[in-house]
């Protein structure tokens, strides 16, 4: 059968998949195939069979490249052996550590390990400790683990730090040459209370011009964006580090920035009452929200105020209130901003752009970085008016670059694939609503369905299915439009402090303004139509035989992949924090809503805590439940009981797996409430120990059962054949001791709302 190459993707259950280089569907790798490889190794696989659904299964025939990155885990000592249990369960194997290679780390500490011997069919991997991170309960440890686990660059190179330190502390006369002076224009920044870098400022005023048929009446909207490209030049250390990161990564209470602090919070941050360099998108927008004209130019600005969403929302809600009085000098332009926002909103509705109202949450942490509470984030007109202003500037940037026929990166969001479209069509048909999408669906069709169903009990279920049918937004030089926003061309221009694609777009716009051409491979500006031959110093990607278009494609793929990496790292930290938080609520009972239905159970979001967990199908009752993929429901064959997205349920927190980032619930059936409540909370008679004692008993029995199960598996493996490393079976019981709580195989990843300090939009 055929042979293919690709990357091994491990699974926490022991098996794995080959992510093929040719982009075809993944190939399943059985557990025995994974014994000689680790997650992210590069291999060649032969397809040996297909299952009943036509899915391929493979056998590894050659290991092409071992991944050489540190592995993060807990150092454990059991039966005289030192080993590290990887934090990332996809590695699937513990790593043996020789006694003299522990770097003086103590048992239980979190460490980084470098492999000295790879795994084989008959032996475990062997490694040495290269870094001791500390105790698992140290404040911020979850972030230290995540940045290493997902290989997020978190240390700037010495060359980058030296270059940043050499930059001036304030603007010089030479920096202001060939720029328009807008320091007298009362631009303002509007951001969240916890924002530290301000990369956009806005200003709006009424505007009239022309006579007769050429007359224009509407608004002049200025969006000024920090001119990062003035300081970060192609090929320099600052640029190399920024490209490697591609994006800032946002965690609760901490940010891993794309640029050093001197730039991100200093020279490039549009702080109030200081002159800053910017790229300005100057727009004329009519009363219907249509773009009449626009232009880009470099400028010097001075932000007249640093405003928060809360302040602006309060001032707009009551123009005679205390917030409005405090900002009396800038209230006219805030009202203008609100008017142009309402006009842009009209245009959004006419385009049919998709706008689902979802509940976003904010994690509030204490001084030790632990969750204090999770609260819903209120989205006001202040948030929306800034979002619409940024969307308008991004669209102008995309049209400007497309009109100049200059290669660049677009933000592309495509509609449903044929398979997802068919699934959605069948789902809508099964609801009997009389609503459907066409063979070539438009954003307006999606928005119409959302509007028509917004007051239904199952509205969240329908909206979730609409969202799942669409593809993920990516960066690419091929402009295919933005389906969700209903734009023919869209790019990212407004956040160059925290997104590398925006920085590239700034460079392209400057090149077009100068009637030049920006060559990504070299970083040079050349006359339009000229070809660059000099390669960027130190650039491995810049090869003469690779076309300019291929360089842009590579940059788009790199930025898209790193965006996903940043999201995964953020979700991992938030899930860890939520699991830690939920340990304090073990045994307690909560009301919740079913947020997803699968063949193995229900995901439930708790109303009071905004945390997700899994109710496994075995917890639903003593009957067989059949999963209906078309209706997205579980239905009991005997009773006919149905569980669908949006269903209201009552659950008890039964298990928390901190290492696996999973939370288990069990369903509270009618008549069980009083009994479960007494287990989860102290009784009114003052028997404060009864609930904790009962819970401790459950946890103790669970741990004993898991130790016995793992010991039996280890014994069975030892009977089948001793390993080459002395015949010692894997010390799987050590992993159970490393976990603060029992590990359930029937648990869900904790929910991952947007971080409190995360950017306002990723569209």
């Amino acid at each position: 059968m055929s042979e293919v190459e690709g990357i091994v993707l491990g699974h926490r259950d022991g098996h794995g998949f080959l992510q093929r280089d040719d982009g075809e569907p993944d190939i399943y790798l059985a557990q025995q195939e994974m014994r000689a490889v680790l997650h992210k190794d590069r291999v060649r696989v032969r397809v040996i069979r297909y299952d009943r659904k036509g899915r391929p299964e493979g056998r590894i025939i050659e290991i092409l490249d071992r991944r050489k990155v540190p592995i993060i885990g807990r150092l454990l000592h059991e039966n005289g052996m030192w080993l590290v249990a990887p934090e990332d369960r996809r590695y699937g194997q513990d790593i043996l550590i020789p006694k003299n290679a522990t770097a003086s780390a103590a048992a239980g500490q979190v460490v980084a390990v470098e492999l000295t011997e790879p795994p084989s069919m008959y032996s475990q991997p062997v490694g040495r400790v290269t870094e001791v991170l500390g105790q698992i309960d140290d404040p911020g440890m979850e972030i230290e683990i995540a940045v290493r686990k997902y290989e997020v660059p978190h240390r700037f190179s010495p060359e980058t730090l030296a270059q940043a330190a050499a930059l001036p502390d304030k603007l010089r006369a030479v920096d202001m040459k060939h720029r328009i002076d807008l320091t007298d224009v009362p631009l303002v920044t509007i951001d969240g209370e916890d924002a530290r870098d301000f990369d956009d400022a806005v200003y709006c005023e009424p505007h009239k011009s022309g006579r007769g048929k050429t007359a224009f009446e509407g608004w002049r909207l200025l969006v000024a964006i920090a001119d990062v490209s003035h300081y970060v030049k192609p090929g320099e250390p600052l640029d190399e580090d920024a490209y490697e990161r591609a994006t800032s990564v946002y965690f609760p209470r901490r940010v891993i920035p794309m640029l050093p602090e001197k730039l991100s919070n200093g020279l490039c941050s549009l702080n109030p009452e200081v002159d800053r360099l910017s790229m300005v998108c100057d727009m004329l927008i009519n009363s219907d929200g249509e773009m009449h004209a626009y232009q880009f130019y470099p400028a010097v600005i001075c932000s007249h105020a640093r405003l928060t969403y809360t302040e602006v929302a309060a001032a707009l809600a009551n123009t005679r209130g205390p917030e409005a009085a405090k900002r009396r000098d800038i209230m006219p332009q805030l009202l203008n901003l609100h008017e142009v926002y309402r006009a842009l909103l009209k245009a959004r509705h006419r385009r049919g752009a998709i706008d689902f109202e979802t509940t976003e949450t904010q994690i509030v942490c204490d001084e030790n970085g632990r969750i204090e509470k999770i609260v819903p984030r209120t989205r006001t007109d202040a948030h929306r008016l800034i979002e619409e202003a940024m969307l308008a500037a991004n669209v102008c940037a995309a049209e400007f670059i497309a009109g100049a026929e200059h290669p660049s990166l677009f933000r592309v969001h495509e509609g449903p694939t044929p398979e997802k479209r068919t699934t959605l069509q069948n789902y809508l048909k099964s609801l009997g609503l009389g609503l459907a999408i066409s063979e070539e669906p438009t954003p307006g069709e999606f928005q119409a369905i959302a509007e028509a169903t917004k007051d239904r009990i199952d509205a969240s279920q329908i909206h979730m299915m609409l969202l799942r049918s669409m593809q993920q937004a990516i960066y690419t030089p091929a402009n295919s439009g933005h389906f969700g926003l209903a734009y023919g061309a869209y790019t990212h221009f407004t956040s160059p402090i925290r997104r590398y694609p925006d920085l590239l777009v700034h460079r392209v716009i400057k090149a077009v303004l100068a009637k030049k051409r920006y060559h990504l491979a070299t970083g040079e500006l050349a006359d339009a139509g000229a070809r660059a031959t000099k390669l960027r110093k130190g650039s491995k990607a810049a090869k003469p035989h690779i076309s300019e278009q291929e360089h842009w494609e590579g940059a788009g793929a790199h930025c898209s992949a790193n965006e996903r990496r940043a999201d995964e790292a953020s979700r991992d930290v938030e899930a860890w924090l939520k699991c830690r938080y939920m340990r304090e609520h073990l045994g307690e009972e909560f009301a919740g809503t079913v947020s997803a239905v699968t063949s193995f159970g229900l995901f439930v979001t708790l109303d009071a805590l905004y945390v997700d967990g899994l109710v496994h199908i075995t917890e639903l009752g003593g009957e067989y439940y059949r999963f209906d993929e078309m209706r997205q429901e579980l239905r009991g064959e005997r009773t006919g009981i149905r569980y669908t997205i949006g269903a209201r349920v009552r659950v008890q927190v039964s298990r928390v797996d901190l290492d696996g980032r999973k939370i288990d619930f069990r369903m509270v059936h009618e008549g069980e409430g009083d009994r479960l409540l007494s287990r989860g909370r102290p009784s009114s008679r003052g028997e404060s120990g009864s609930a904790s004692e009962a819970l401790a008993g459950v946890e103790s029995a669970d741990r004993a059962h898991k130790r016995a199960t793992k010991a039996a598996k280890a014994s069975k493996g030892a009977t089948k054949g001793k390993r080459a490393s002395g015949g010692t079976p894997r010390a799987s019981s050590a992993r159970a001791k490393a976990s603060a709580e029992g590990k359930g195989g029937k648990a869900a990843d904790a929910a991952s709302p947007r971080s409190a300090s995360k950017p306002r939009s990723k569209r």
Side-chain angles (χ1 to χ4, degrees):
M1 290 191 173
S2 60
E3 296 181 2
V4 294
E5 296 181 4
I7 302 297
V8 173
L9 301 179
H11 191 277
R12 63 177 64 245
D13 291 339
H15 60 269
F17 298 91
L18 181 80
Q19 186 180 54
R20 300 169 56 148
D21 292 344
D22 57 14
E24 292 297 311
D26 293 351
I27 298 173
Y28 175 78
L29 300 173
Q31 191 164 354
Q32 61 267 26
E33 293 294 323
M34 296 294 294
R35 293 178 63 178
V37 295
L38 292 175
H39 177 62
K40 290 297 184 74
D41 283 349
R42 184 170 183 78
V43 300
R44 179 180 291 115
V45 165
R46 177 181 293 129
V47 178
I48 58 173
R49 66 174 65 91
Y50 292 85
D51 66 11
R52 286 180 298 177
K53 294 185 178 180
R55 294 173 298 193
E57 180 178 342
R59 176 176 296 154
I60 296 173
I61 59 175
E62 185 181 359
I63 299 171
L64 303 175
D65 185 38
R66 297 280 190 180
R67 199 176 190 214
K68 298 176 177 64
V69 295
I71 298 173
I72 309 302
R74 300 274 290 280
L75 181 65
L76 307 171
H77 191 240
E78 181 150 319
N79 299 328
M81 297 169 51
W82 289 95
L83 56 89
V84 167
E87 167 68 22
D88 190 341
R89 298 286 189 81
R90 292 175 295 181
Y91 280 101
Q93 300 188 57
D94 293 340
I95 302 164
L96 298 175
I97 307 294
K99 186 187 300 185
N100 61 352
T102 60
S104 301
Q109 287 188 309
V110 181
V111 298
V113 174
E114 178 185 87
L115 291 186
T116 56
E117 295 180 27
S120 72
M121 292 298 291
Y122 307 103
S123 63
Q124 289 178 242
V126 180
R128 65 182 184 88
V129 175
T130 58
E131 183 182 10
V132 181
L133 302 183
Q135 298 294 339
I136 189 65
D137 288 330
D138 289 349
M141 179 55 67
E142 67 280 359
I143 297 176
E144 296 297 330
I145 292 173
V147 296
R148 291 164 175 82
K149 177 178 174 181
Y150 292 95
E151 300 175 49
V152 175
H154 58 286
R155 295 191 181 102
F156 289 108
S157 68
E159 294 79 9
T160 294
L161 294 175
Q163 186 184 355
L167 291 172
D169 294 322
K170 57 183 180 180
L171 296 191
R172 302 163 299 183
V174 66
D175 297 321
M176 302 185 193
K177 285 186 177 180
H178 310 297
R179 291 179 179 270
I180 294 178
D181 188 347
L182 296 181
T183 53
D184 60 332
V185 177
L187 289 138
V188 297
T189 62
I190 305 175
D191 289 276
E193 282 80 359
D194 52 356
R196 294 181 59 199
D197 53 74
F198 313 108
D199 46 16
D200 57 79
V202 291
Y203 170 77
C204 187
E205 66 182 11
H207 183 82
K208 293 182 180 179
S209 61
R211 293 182 179 179
K213 292 183 179 180
T214 61
F216 170 81
E217 184 172 350
W219 294 273
R220 181 189 181 196
L221 174 64
L222 269 66
V223 175
I225 306 299
D227 190 359
V228 177
S229 63
H230 180 82
Y231 300 101
V232 181
K233 304 294 186 182
E236 294 183 349
L238 275 171
D239 183 56
E240 298 293 344
D241 266 10
Y243 178 77
E244 182 185 10
R245 297 178 180 221
T247 180
S248 297
V249 187
Y250 292 81
F251 301 108
R253 297 191 60 197
R254 183 178 170 188
V255 178
I256 307 295
M258 187 180 80
L259 299 171
E261 187 173 0
K262 185 165 184 178
L263 287 166
S264 60
N265 300 137
L267 277 172
C268 293
S269 183
L270 306 183
N271 300 324
E273 306 301 334
V274 291
D275 291 349
R276 288 287 185 256
L277 304 183
S278 73
M279 284 294 296
V280 173
C281 181
D282 194 338
M283 298 165 274
L284 293 181
I285 300 170
N286 66 22
S287 57
D288 292 325
E290 296 171 345
M291 193 67 61
H292 179 74
Y294 66 84
Q295 62 177 329
F296 289 91
Y297 50 82
V300 181
I301 71 162
C302 179
S303 171
H304 282 48
R306 182 270 199 262
L307 306 177
T308 69
Y309 294 124
T310 305
E311 292 171 343
V312 173
L316 293 175
N318 184 1
T319 56
R320 297 183 179 181
E323 284 295 342
K326 193 162 56 175
R327 301 291 184 181
R328 187 177 293 107
D329 54 334
I330 58 174
M331 272 307 295
Q333 80 132 319
L334 291 182
L335 293 172
N336 291 332
L337 280 169
H338 195 244
E339 288 298 316
V340 79
Y341 151 68
R342 291 168 63 182
L344 290 169
L345 202 58
K346 290 181 190 175
R348 169 191 277 267
H349 292 154
R350 283 197 309 273
R351 290 196 318 271
I354 300 171
D355 188 15
F356 298 148
E357 284 295 334
T358 57
T359 302
E360 294 183 0
T361 55
Q362 176 181 352
I363 293 178
V364 180
C365 294
D366 60 22
E367 58 184 12
N368 294 319
R370 302 290 182 252
I371 293 182
E372 192 172 275
K373 59 183 176 180
I374 302 173
V375 297
R377 187 191 295 272
T378 304
R379 193 163 177 261
T380 66
D381 274 3
H383 293 84
R384 296 186 184 96
L385 70 84
I386 288 297
E387 180 178 337
E388 288 297 329
M390 298 305 114
L391 291 177
N394 285 337
V395 170
C396 290
E399 291 183 355
F400 183 70
I401 293 169
E405 298 183 348
H406 194 297
S408 183
L409 290 184
F410 293 92
R411 182 66 167 178
V412 169
H413 179 228
E414 296 186 343
T417 62
E419 295 80 9
K420 289 185 175 182
R421 184 193 67 230
T422 301
T423 300
L424 181 60
Q425 287 171 332
N426 291 337
Y427 170 71
L428 292 173
K429 185 177 180 181
S430 71
L431 295 178
L433 300 176
L435 300 171
I437 60 170
S438 64
E439 292 300 310
E440 295 293 335
T442 64
E445 292 178 39
F446 278 66
Q447 185 61 24
I449 294 171
E451 284 291 328
T453 59
K454 65 181 181 181
D455 296 325
R456 287 174 56 97
I457 296 176
D458 57 353
S460 61
Q461 174 186 358
I462 297 170
H463 294 179
M464 182 62 67
M465 289 299 294
L466 292 173
L467 285 170
R468 287 177 179 172
S469 71
M470 292 182 284
Q471 299 181 57
Q472 189 175 33
I474 60 170
Y475 295 106
T476 173
N479 177 29
S480 302
H482 197 293
F483 183 84
L485 295 172
Y487 287 130
Y490 186 71
T491 192
H492 276 169
F493 161 78
T494 55
S495 296
I497 290 178
R498 60 182 177 88
R499 293 189 305 223
Y500 196 82
D502 301 54
L503 175 58
L504 290 177
V505 166
H506 277 234
R507 289 174 180 168
V508 170
I509 289 175
K510 282 187 174 181
V512 174
L513 290 174
K515 295 181 170 53
K516 301 283 186 180
R517 194 171 185 85
Y518 173 69
H519 291 278
L520 180 62
T522 64
E524 291 184 336
L525 286 178
D527 291 333
R531 295 184 63 186
T533 56
K534 181 181 175 183
L535 300 182
R536 180 190 296 185
K537 182 179 179 182
S539 174
K540 296 180 181 179
K543 297 179 181 179
H545 66 276
I546 297 179
S547 69
E548 184 73 10
Q549 181 71 9
E550 289 174 315
H551 281 297
W552 282 102
E553 289 172 358
H558 170 80
C559 292
S560 298
N562 284 10
E563 178 187 41
R564 291 192 294 272
R565 178 181 67 182
D567 288 342
E568 289 172 357
S570 297
R571 283 195 295 265
D572 187 80
V573 167
E574 290 172 2
W576 191 95
L577 289 170
K578 287 184 176 182
C579 286
R580 181 67 180 261
Y581 178 58
M582 290 306 294
R583 288 198 307 180
E584 301 171 7
H585 299 281
L586 272 168
E588 293 185 21
E589 183 185 337
F590 297 94
T593 303
V594 175
S595 56
V597 180
T598 70
S599 59
F600 53 85
L602 311 170
F603 289 89
V604 175
T605 303
L606 303 183
D607 295 346
L609 302 181
Y610 300 96
V611 171
D612 280 3
L614 176 72
V615 179
H616 194 265
I617 196 168
T618 56
E619 298 285 354
L620 296 180
E623 67 174 307
Y624 181 77
Y625 281 85
R626 186 178 298 278
F627 176 56
D628 187 333
E629 186 175 5
M630 184 181 296
R631 294 179 179 271
Q632 290 290 298
E633 70 176 21
L634 282 173
R635 186 185 186 98
E637 287 197 341
R638 179 171 55 83
T639 62
I641 293 176
R642 296 188 306 162
Y643 291 103
T644 62
I645 297 175
R648 301 286 299 151
V649 294
R650 195 158 189 84
V651 297
Q652 183 197 37
V653 183
S654 61
R655 182 175 298 173
V656 175
D657 177 2
L658 193 61
D659 289 348
R661 316 294 197 261
K662 296 181 176 183
I663 301 168
D664 271 348
F665 299 148
R666 71 180 298 271
M667 196 70 74
V668 176
H669 299 287
E670 190 175 352
E672 284 190 302
D674 294 338
R675 179 172 61 82
L676 292 177
L677 195 62
S678 68
R679 288 179 58 190
R681 298 171 183 164
S683 70
S684 59
R685 296 179 183 177
E687 297 173 357
S688 58
S690 61
S692 59
E693 288 169 5
L695 185 58
V698 172
E699 292 172 351
S700 177
D702 179 61
R703 286 193 290 268
H705 172 72
K706 297 184 78 60
R707 282 197 296 271
T709 302
K710 291 190 175 184
K713 288 182 180 179
S715 176
K716 184 177 180 181
T719 303
K720 288 183 177 180
K722 299 293 185 180
R723 291 198 171 106
S725 59
T728 305
R730 172 180 173 180
S732 58
S733 61
R735 190 185 294 276
K737 288 190 175 182
S739 177
E741 299 295 337
K743 301 178 179 67
K746 304 179 279 188
D749 287 337
S752 55
R754 186 177 298 176
S755 162
S757 58
K758 265 191 177 177
R760 62 175 69 89
S761 174
K762 300 188 71 175
R763 288 174 171 168

